[in-house]
């Protein structure tokens, strides 16, 4: 998609004449939750407020979320927890296992609140959403007032703190959000559309180029060799030269910084071309049956996503891995693509194919750390080509069974109904010794008032 002015000509009937009227200049908002995982935990346990908190990755391995108190101690994102235990004891850091069920539900609740402000929304990530707001900011007075209204309602209804940034492009809205989070003077809301060029440029000189949306660490390092050190430097750089060296994506980024909207909201998430599910084991495994149960569980997870986007798969890739960090152990990584005789979204069919693949790649004498599956050759179920040996009755029965399966698991929790191949004990399951209750989705884990 090329860059445009952000205006599109429309015809409106006025006094009997077709009059072309340009709509309002675009205004994007980016709203994100501060320290999302930590904030979700604090919403249900006030004792964690102003206490240094980290949330750990799968198997309690690394820090994937840090409270401001932890950041102030210099602990980096992704720091291994086992290396932090002495520091944690010294400063009273509380470590919690990831509670993805809770985080996903809280994310959905935030989105539902934001949709009350604008129906034109792109859920960019679990804690960030873009909104089109140029036609509705007047309902709140202006963009800044709207941002504070968003903050207040999200905090009141979910208990989560958010910041809001406004700009004439998505990239500028992202930059405004960065300013809102990092500078107390904005009180959580920054509106670039209401700044003078001098004010905006002043803030751009204070922010490193690596903070620009889409400029990664490697690109930032290359830009610095060209003396492009700040956001303003990038805005003022020669756009043709940047395109020659970095491609059209960089050209669009600079155009967006200059106020030309090149990126529209993606209100409909495009279907995935591959769907993967994998996870490390809670402990090293040598038993093929236990690994097979994990494979079957991952197939069920991937198949649920497959059906959610109304697709079918033509092949299943299955893999197993040892722990490459344990150099004293024998190492092996095996994987195999298993083609299906006919495309399918049936968990049972996909599980059978994955277990056939596992039987072929499994090797004795190794301690395995991880396994996973990938559904491949995806296509829309509605476009599925019939084959000579199609059995419409069998296909209809499969669809109905999967619909019932998904309905039960969506209402009562993933894995409530599963294939026998997925087992019952889940001895392979990841460690989560410090996971808090799933307060909002599990009847047995509802918060209790005492």
């Amino acid at each position: 998609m090329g860059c445009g002015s952000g205006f599109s000509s429309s015809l409106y009937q006025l006094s009997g004449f077709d009059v072309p009227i340009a709509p309002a200049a675009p205004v994007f908002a980016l709203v994100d939750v501060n320290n999302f995982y930590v904030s979700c935990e604090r919403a249900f346990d006030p004792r964690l407020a102003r206490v240094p908190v980290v949330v750990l990755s799968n198997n309690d391995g690394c820090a994937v979320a840090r409270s401001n108190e932890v950041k102030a101690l210099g602990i980096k994102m992704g720091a291994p927890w086992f290396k932090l235990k002495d520091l944690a004891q010294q400063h009273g850091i509380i470590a919690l296992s990831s509670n993805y069920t809770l985080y996903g539900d809280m994310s959905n609740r935030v989105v539902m609140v934001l949709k009350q402000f604008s129906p034109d929304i792109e859920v960019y990530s679990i804690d960030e959403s873009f909104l089109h707001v140029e036609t509705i900011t007047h309902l709140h007075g202006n963009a800044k007032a709207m941002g504070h209204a968003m903050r207040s309602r999200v905090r009141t209804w979910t208990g989560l703190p958010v910041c809001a940034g406004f700009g004439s492009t998505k990239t500028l809205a992202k930059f405004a959000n960065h300013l809102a989070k990092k500078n107390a003077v904005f009180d959580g809301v920054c509106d670039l559309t209401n700044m003078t060029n001098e004010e905006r440029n002043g803030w751009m000189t204070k922010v490193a180029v690596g903070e620009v949306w889409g400029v990664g660490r490697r690109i930032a390092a290359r830009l610095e060799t060209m003396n492009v050190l700040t956001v303003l430097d990038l805005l003022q750089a020669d756009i043709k030269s940047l395109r020659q060296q970095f491609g059209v994506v960089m050209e669009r980024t600079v155009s967006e910084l200059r106020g030309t909207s090149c990126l529209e909201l993606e209100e409909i998430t495009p279907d995935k071309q591959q769907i993967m599910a994998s996870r490390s084991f809670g402990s090293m495994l040598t038993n093929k049956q236990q690994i097979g149960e994990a494979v079957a569980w991952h197939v069920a997870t991937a198949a649920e996503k497959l059906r959610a986007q109304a697709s079918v798969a033509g092949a299943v890739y299955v893999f197993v891995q040892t722990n490459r960090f344990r150099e004293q152990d024998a190492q092996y990584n095996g994987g195999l693509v298993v083609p299906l005789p006919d495309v399918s979204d049936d968990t049972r069919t996909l599980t059978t194919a994955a277990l056939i693949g596992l039987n072929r790649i499994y090797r004795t004498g190794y301690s395995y750390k991880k396994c996973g599956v990938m559904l491949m050759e995806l296509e829309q179920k509605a476009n599925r080509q019939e084959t000579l040996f199609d059995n419409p009755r069998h296909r209809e029965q499969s669809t109905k069974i999967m619909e019932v399966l998904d309905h039960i698991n969506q209402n009562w929790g993933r894995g409530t109904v599963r294939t026998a191949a997925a087992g019952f004990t889940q001895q392979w399951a990841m460690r989560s010794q410090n996971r808090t209750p799933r307060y909002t989705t599990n009847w047995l884990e509802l918060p209790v008032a005492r």
Side-chain angles (χ1 to χ4, degrees):
M1 178 188 295
C3 297
S5 64
F7 294 87
S8 60
S9 179
S10 301
L11 290 177
Y12 293 83
Q13 195 74 24
L14 182 63
S15 301
F17 297 95
D18 288 333
V19 181
I21 301 176
V27 178
F28 294 89
L30 177 65
V31 182
D32 81 331
V33 183
N34 303 335
N35 303 327
F36 180 60
Y37 290 177
V38 172
S39 294
C40 288
E41 301 290 354
R42 285 176 167 173
F44 292 92
D45 189 351
R47 294 172 298 179
L48 298 177
R50 294 180 293 278
V51 172
V53 178
V54 296
V55 175
L56 303 176
S57 63
N58 293 339
N59 291 311
D60 296 343
C62 303
V64 294
R66 304 157 295 154
S67 68
N68 290 336
E69 296 81 5
V70 171
K71 294 176 183 177
L73 296 173
I75 296 176
K76 302 297 184 182
M77 178 70 80
W81 174 240
F82 75 91
K83 293 184 177 180
L84 302 176
K85 290 187 176 180
D86 291 341
L87 190 64
Q89 187 173 9
Q90 179 183 350
H91 295 280
I93 299 175
I94 295 177
L96 301 174
S97 303
S98 296
N99 190 344
Y100 297 120
T101 303
L102 175 65
Y103 307 150
D105 185 66
M106 293 298 286
S107 174
N108 292 336
R109 291 168 186 250
V110 172
V111 171
M112 293 304 294
V113 175
L114 296 179
K115 284 183 177 179
Q116 296 183 354
F117 289 88
S118 173
D120 301 324
I121 186 170
E122 173 191 339
V123 181
Y124 179 67
S125 67
I126 193 171
D127 62 342
E128 294 179 287
S129 293
F130 285 102
L131 300 91
H132 254 313
V133 297
E134 62 270 12
T135 61
I136 55 176
T137 52
H138 67 280
L139 298 177
H140 302 272
N142 53 47
K144 184 177 180 181
M146 182 181 185
H148 284 295
M150 289 176 174
R151 294 191 74 211
S152 176
R153 191 174 301 179
V154 172
R155 189 61 183 256
T156 300
W157 290 15
T158 69
L160 301 178
V162 302
C163 286
F166 295 85
S168 57
T169 69
K170 291 173 73 173
T171 302
L172 286 173
K174 185 85 168 175
F175 174 65
N177 185 276
H178 173 82
L179 294 179
K181 286 195 296 186
K182 300 296 183 180
N183 300 275
V185 67
F186 291 109
D187 192 23
V189 178
C190 175
D191 177 17
L192 288 181
T193 66
N194 199 35
M195 284 187 185
T196 65
N197 287 338
E198 290 75 17
E199 290 174 323
R200 182 202 63 191
N201 292 349
W203 284 107
M204 286 185 169
T205 60
K206 299 178 181 179
V207 180
V209 69
E211 298 294 342
V212 175
W213 185 35
V215 177
R217 183 171 54 187
R218 292 182 180 178
I219 293 178
R222 289 178 59 190
L223 288 170
E224 289 170 3
T225 63
M226 302 164 58
N227 205 34
V228 178
L229 307 177
T230 68
V231 179
L232 185 62
D233 291 337
L234 183 60
L235 181 149
Q236 296 176 339
D238 181 68
I239 198 168
K240 292 184 179 179
S241 175
L242 290 174
R243 174 167 181 161
Q244 290 175 351
Q245 298 195 49
F246 298 97
V248 68
V249 174
M250 178 61 73
E251 180 185 27
R252 291 175 180 172
T253 296
V254 177
S255 294
E256 288 245 323
L257 286 176
R258 294 177 179 179
T260 300
S261 181
C262 301
L263 305 171
E264 289 298 321
L265 292 188
E266 295 184 8
E267 299 178 53
I268 300 177
T269 304
D271 291 340
K272 297 180 179 179
Q273 299 304 306
Q274 297 175 330
I275 297 177
M276 186 172 184
S278 67
R279 186 164 291 176
S280 297
F281 306 134
S283 58
M284 306 295 285
L285 295 183
T286 58
N287 185 293
K288 185 171 71 171
Q289 179 178 343
Q290 293 178 357
I291 298 174
E293 291 178 358
V295 166
W297 181 274
H298 295 326
V299 169
T301 300
E304 182 178 318
K305 297 178 181 178
L306 181 72
R307 292 189 291 271
Q309 69 175 39
S311 295
V312 288
V316 179
Y317 173 71
V318 59
F319 69 90
V320 292
Q321 296 177 355
T322 54
N323 189 343
R324 62 188 177 88
F325 296 106
R326 291 177 58 89
E327 297 180 356
Q328 69 274 23
D329 292 350
Q331 299 295 313
Y332 170 68
N333 295 322
L336 182 69
V337 175
V338 182
L340 300 177
D342 188 17
V343 293
S344 177
D345 64 358
D346 191 309
T347 298
R348 299 166 299 175
T349 301
L350 300 172
T351 299
T352 298
L355 293 180
I356 290 174
L358 176 64
N359 286 332
R360 293 184 60 180
I361 64 175
Y362 177 81
R363 302 287 185 272
T364 59
Y366 296 96
S367 297
Y368 294 96
K369 181 60 177 175
K370 185 177 183 179
C371 75
V373 298
M374 181 186 296
L375 305 184
M376 306 171 63
E377 299 179 15
L378 307 191
E379 61 183 70
Q380 280 294 299
K381 189 172 184 177
N383 299 333
R384 173 185 178 274
Q385 295 292 321
E386 294 186 0
T387 67
L388 178 63
F389 301 104
D390 255 338
N391 185 331
R393 182 180 177 185
H394 178 270
R395 192 166 63 248
E396 183 179 353
Q397 289 178 339
S398 170
T399 298
K400 290 181 177 179
I401 291 173
M402 291 301 105
E403 287 177 351
V404 172
L405 177 71
D406 290 340
H407 179 76
I408 294 174
N409 288 336
Q410 287 167 8
N411 283 276
W412 296 96
R414 177 171 291 166
T416 301
V417 177
R418 68 187 83 161
T419 60
F424 299 95
T425 59
Q426 292 190 8
Q427 297 181 29
W428 55 270
M430 68 176 185
R431 293 192 304 272
S432 55
Q433 299 174 345
N434 298 316
R435 180 183 62 78
T436 54
R438 292 161 290 190
Y439 299 102
T440 62
T441 58
N442 191 310
W443 287 106
L444 301 178
E445 299 179 15
L446 290 173
V448 177
R450 294 190 176 94

